Amino acid sequence: MEEPGVRQRKKAATGSSHGHETGSDAKSWLSISESICVISRCVGLGTLQSLVKRPLNQFLGAPTRHLPGVRTNYVPTFTVDEAKQDAVVEAFKHAWLAYERDAMGDDEYHPISHAGSNLTKAGGIGYTVVDSIDTMIIMGLEDEYQRARAWVADKLSFERDGNLNTFETTIRVLGGLLSAYHLSGEDPVFLEKAEELGSRILPAFETESGLPLSLINLALREGVPDNDNSGFISTAEASTLQLEFRYLAYLTDEDTYWEKPEKVMAVLRASETPSGLASIFVDSKMGRYQTSSIRLGSRGDSYYEYLLKQYLQTNQTELVYREMYDTAMTGIHTHLVQRGLSGQLLYTAELNPQRTQNGEIGWRLIPKQDHLVCFLGGSLMLGATTSGALVHNVSIPPRTDELTEQGERDWLTGVELINTCMATHDTQTGLAPEIAHFRILGDGVDNSVAPADWYIKGARPNAPPPFDARYILRPETVESIFIAFRLTGDPKYRDYGWAIFQAIEKHCRIPTGGYASVINVDQVPVEYDDKMETFLMSETLKYLYLLFADSKYVFNTEGHPLPVFNPTIRTGFS
């Protein structure tokens, strides 16, 4: 095994989180205040005993057991912290105004070279503009919003004869347009553009199995296979289009926008294993999972995220998604949840396939967790208070008598995952790396040169940093912190978020405007990668702003808030 390099700690390694303090936020379409679960629909036969026993114990005066992950020495509070909100708004304006000055309308922004770039040679479709509009509305930036709206109305064109990623275009542009429509008081400009884009993306679903092709040519209205992956498609990409298209169907009464992405979920369900876990690649022709890694990071993450969100998006009326979600969460706990050495940090490992000596396929557990996985902490806590709830309205913070046994399990895991994600911010910059590896017994690593809990694989003193060491302005930990705060009212989550924001300000802010990715989180002063990801403005800063607010929203995987609704269409899969 490759040995890790020395990682200098800013503070002593944290111990086990057996104290079970709260911690998390996640992305979800359902506003937490609206997470109402009708018991007759949401509780299966397996939880009937708990459903009867716990209220009876309460009635008889039996003590309510303390819920792990909820502190008892604080009063939940959701008052606005105006000073911190103002700081986040100033950061957004620092990012947006630089982009607007140097690259307005381009898909991506490079703040050091003061230039923009597009995702096709034929031109861009305004990824950064559309991805940022709903944040402007939420922050009350009227002038910036009006200029961005004018660009959408007058200059946004989808006549681009080039290949764009189907998934990214859906979550960033279609999701951004639909969210802007919702938050703007239903400005028709955004819905018209959303419907046009949706109709241009639909041909990607025209495959033998109904699974969408990875790329789409919007001008030609043709799906294009991804030759880099032998024509296979990413599981996460195929299963993270549903919220956007279903809401578009609801707004337009066009059933095809609902049926095409829902067919994807039916195909994936028919191919799923008893564990509920999904390999990261699917064959778009056969509609079958391919033998490939099983993980909650890249190419796998949002499959699990959208199982819960689809259940919540339609007001908890489609039980098939709850069943798929519950099965998958049990599979994650059975096969992927692990603990590291020393600090006993809880993390999710990866399963990688490998040939055994007799030619059969075996699976190897890898102690590796992407920064992307940090969405799961908040998602599990939200799932615990909805899918895992015994009552219509769960308290803030939840009580143990309000959750099923699975709900308690998911809550505790969510809390501990957030603690782990915060532990990965224990670097020289206070920023978390793209990928962390965790120490395991027999890993062959010299304890005298490596941290005892987690490390950045391939890091070496006085050597070029590995890809794993970078921070690209990702939002996942902040998302989980936001949701954890909303579910508990525990001010420690605001402290977590503020610490991350300060690290971004100190190490990623470019004085002339914009923010850049950091190549090595364990090197100070930092070295930059000249790129400002669009999710900085659409997610990271949005969640930070809302963390210090008193309002509640609901989000797709790119951080775009959309409403909960009762579906007007019923298909066979539903």
Side-chain angles (χ1 to χ4, degrees), residues 60-203:
L60 296 176
T64 298
R65 186 162 53 87
H66 174 58
L67 180 64
V70 173
R71 298 194 299 175
T72 58
N73 60 344
Y74 76 96
V75 176
T77 177
F78 298 99
T79 56
V80 177
D81 189 326
E82 293 185 0
K84 290 184 173 63
Q85 274 197 320
D86 289 345
V88 176
V89 170
E90 192 281 328
F92 179 90
K93 293 176 71 172
H94 184 76
W96 169 260
L97 294 175
Y99 164 77
E100 187 179 29
R101 176 194 67 205
D102 298 332
M104 185 62 176
D106 288 343
D107 289 329
E108 297 181 329
Y109 179 49
H110 309 281
I112 297 173
S113 55
H114 301 280
S117 62
N118 290 311
L119 297 174
T120 76
K121 294 181 180 179
I125 57 172
Y127 263 51
T128 298
V129 179
V130 180
D131 219 5
S132 305
I133 290 177
D134 59 5
T135 305
M136 299 174 190
I137 298 174
I138 289 171
M139 290 182 174
L141 298 175
E142 180 65 19
D143 292 342
E144 289 80 0
Y145 163 71
Q146 288 296 340
R147 296 195 301 271
R149 180 199 177 278
W151 186 90
V152 170
D154 301 333
K155 297 183 179 180
L156 176 58
S157 172
F158 301 124
E159 283 291 334
R160 304 303 186 207
D161 187 3
N163 298 334
L164 291 163
N165 183 277
T166 305
F167 159 74
E168 297 287 359
T169 301
T170 299
I171 65 169
R172 298 183 192 231
V173 185
L174 182 59
L177 290 168
L178 291 171
S179 178
Y181 173 74
H182 171 60
L183 293 178
S184 66
E186 302 185 349
D187 187 328
V189 166
F190 298 117
L191 182 57
E192 290 168 7
K193 292 292 186 179
E195 188 167 11
E196 179 190 354
L197 178 59
S199 69
R200 290 174 182 267
I201 294 175
L202 276 184

Side-chain angles (χ1 to χ4, degrees), residues 229-262:
N229 295 309
S230 303
F232 297 148
I233 60 174
S234 160
T235 299
E237 292 185 359
S239 59
T240 314
L241 313 169
Q242 286 68 25
L243 299 181
E244 295 81 1
F245 274 99
R246 287 167 15 137
Y247 184 48
L248 182 60
Y250 175 78
L251 293 174
T252 62
D253 288 326
E254 291 290 341
D255 290 353
T256 188
Y257 291 133
W258 190 291
E259 293 164 349
K260 295 286 188 182
E262 185 177 66

Side-chain angles (χ1 to χ4, degrees), residues 332-340 344-349 365:
I332 288 170
H333 281 87
T334 301
H335 300 286
L336 302 183
V337 170
Q338 305 289 320
R339 284 196 184 276
Q344 290 288 298
L345 294 173
L346 185 146
Y347 66 94
T348 63
L365 201 62

Side-chain angles (χ1 to χ4, degrees), residues 427-541:
T427 63
Q428 288 296 297
T429 60
L431 301 168
E434 182 72 0
I435 297 173
H437 279 73
F438 292 82
R439 296 294 305 279
I440 59 174
L441 287 172
D443 59 13
V445 175
D446 186 346
N447 291 330
S448 66
V449 299
D453 47 11
W454 70 273
Y455 61 94
I456 300 171
K457 187 175 181 180
R460 295 286 188 277
N462 304 314
F467 176 84
D468 294 8
R470 65 186 55 225
Y471 173 70
I472 61 171
L473 307 170
R474 284 201 184 278
E476 283 75 19
T477 300
V478 175
E479 296 174 58
S480 279
I481 289 169
F482 164 64
I483 287 186
F485 177 69
R486 283 290 154 196
L487 292 175
T488 65
D490 191 335
K492 77 172 187 178
Y493 292 113
R494 281 184 163 178
D495 295 339
Y496 290 168
W498 185 244
I500 293 173
F501 175 72
Q502 288 180 306
I504 292 172
E505 282 291 288
K506 183 176 182 179
H507 298 292
C508 302
R509 184 181 178 107
I510 304 301
T512 56
Y515 293 78
S517 303
V518 168
I519 291 177
N520 184 358
V521 297
D522 258 336
Q523 174 185 307
V524 177
V526 299
E527 182 181 355
Y528 294 117
D529 180 15
D530 186 15
K531 185 176 181 181
M532 187 176 82
E533 297 284 352
T534 70
F535 47 67
L536 171 71
M537 292 191 286
S538 69
E539 297 186 78
T540 306
L541 295 178

Side-chain angles (χ1 to χ4, degrees), residues 190-305:
F190 298 117
L191 182 57
E192 290 168 7
K193 292 292 186 179
E195 188 167 11
E196 179 190 354
L197 178 59
S199 69
R200 290 174 182 267
I201 294 175
L202 276 184
F205 294 91
E206 299 299 330
T207 62
E208 187 175 342
S209 67
L211 298 179
L213 294 171
S214 297
L215 304 173
I216 183 71
N217 185 308
L218 297 177
L220 301 180
R221 298 176 186 250
E222 292 180 355
V224 181
D226 184 359
N227 294 326
D228 291 341
N229 295 309
S230 303
F232 297 148
I233 60 174
S234 160
T235 299
E237 292 185 359
S239 59
T240 314
L241 313 169
Q242 286 68 25
L243 299 181
E244 295 81 1
F245 274 99
R246 287 167 15 137
Y247 184 48
L248 182 60
Y250 175 78
L251 293 174
T252 62
D253 288 326
E254 291 290 341
D255 290 353
T256 188
Y257 291 133
W258 190 291
E259 293 164 349
K260 295 286 188 182
E262 185 177 66
K263 172 70 179 299
V264 173
M265 299 309 299
V267 170
L268 294 180
R269 189 187 189 209
S271 183
E272 74 178 0
T273 63
S275 70
L277 299 179
S279 297
I280 61 171
F281 284 112
V282 191
D283 186 338
S284 62
K285 294 182 180 178
M286 303 300 294
R288 297 287 181 184
Y289 286 116
Q290 296 302 296
T291 301
S292 52
S293 298
I294 294 174
R295 63 180 180 232
L296 303 178
S298 61
R299 299 189 181 277
D301 53 348
S302 50
Y303 165 75
Y304 303 97
E305 176 193 349

